[in-house]
Amino acid sequence: MGIRINTKPYGECEIDERQIIEFQDGIFGFDFIKRFVLLDSKDAGSPFKWLQAYDETELAFVVIDPLMFMNQYSLVISGSDLDAVGASRPDDLLVFVIVTIPANPSDMTANLQGPIIINPRTLKGRQAISQSDKYGVCHRILDEMKRKSGKEG
């Protein structure tokens, strides 16, 4: 059965209650927000999605699967992060990173240090801390896309 919610990017939308993801610890800086919904972009072919707070219309994060703009991304997280979402291994998870889009969109960055992990089986999510020192909190997306396509210059 569908539930109607108000969203920041699209106004009122109907979702399936099975789209509600429980974030026991919230998102960093928003630890009091526990339920989110992952929404597809309405732009055909867009790699971006919205992580919309279920109970707070004005809180929504643009997210992207890091493999959409990078050749490789190694998810290196703690066992407690896996336990928190009910997963036994990283391969069981959906992985997204939060995107920051400044006034000049070509300068957009992704937080590779704090990936969003979601277990699609348990509908539990968490913002983890990467234990890899290869990633920062402001990784330039377009630079990575150029590397991925071999057009670095």
Side-chain angles (χ1 to χ4, degrees):
M1 177 172 165
I3 299 171
R4 298 201 73 73
I5 66 167
N6 289 312
T7 69
K8 183 175 181 176
Y10 307 124
E12 190 176 71
C13 290
E14 186 168 318
I15 62 157
D16 187 303
E17 66 183 34
R18 293 172 293 192
Q19 286 178 264
I20 301 170
I21 303 159
E22 184 75 28
F23 282 74
Q24 183 178 346
D25 300 316
I27 301 289
F28 300 142
F30 300 94
D31 56 334
F32 56 95
I33 308 288
K34 306 295 186 187
R35 299 187 299 171
F36 288 84
V37 178
L38 194 61
L39 303 172
D40 288 328
S41 172
K42 293 203 175 180
D43 296 328
S46 173
F48 299 101
K49 294 183 181 291
W50 288 92
L51 187 64
Q52 171 69 52
Y54 180 79
D55 298 304
E56 296 286 334
T57 302
E58 291 305 309
L59 182 62
F61 300 96
V62 176
V63 296
I64 188 172
D65 176 339
L67 294 177
M68 295 300 292
F69 66 90
M70 300 179 73
N71 285 322
Q72 52 181 260
Y73 176 76
S74 300
L75 182 64
V76 182
I77 57 174
S78 71
S80 63
D81 286 331
L82 288 172
D83 291 344
V85 297
S88 56
R89 56 196 186 106
D91 291 347
D92 296 336
L93 303 172
L94 299 175
V95 179
F96 297 97
V97 292
I98 294 176
V99 176
T100 300
I101 304 173
N104 179 355
S106 65
D107 291 332
M108 72 179 134
T109 61
N111 179 354
L112 300 179
Q113 187 64 41
I116 302 292
I117 58 171
I118 298 170
N119 183 334
R121 190 179 51 75
T122 63
L123 295 177
K124 292 187 182 211
R126 180 177 180 98
Q127 185 170 18
I129 298 284
S130 175
Q131 298 189 347
S132 170
D133 59 5
K134 294 191 303 189
Y135 306 119
V137 295
C138 292
H139 214 84
R140 290 177 51 89
I141 292 175
L142 293 182
D143 291 350
E144 282 297 332
M145 290 176 94
K146 287 176 187 170
R147 278 193 274 282
K148 183 176 181 174
S149 68
K151 295 180 182 170
E152 188 173 26

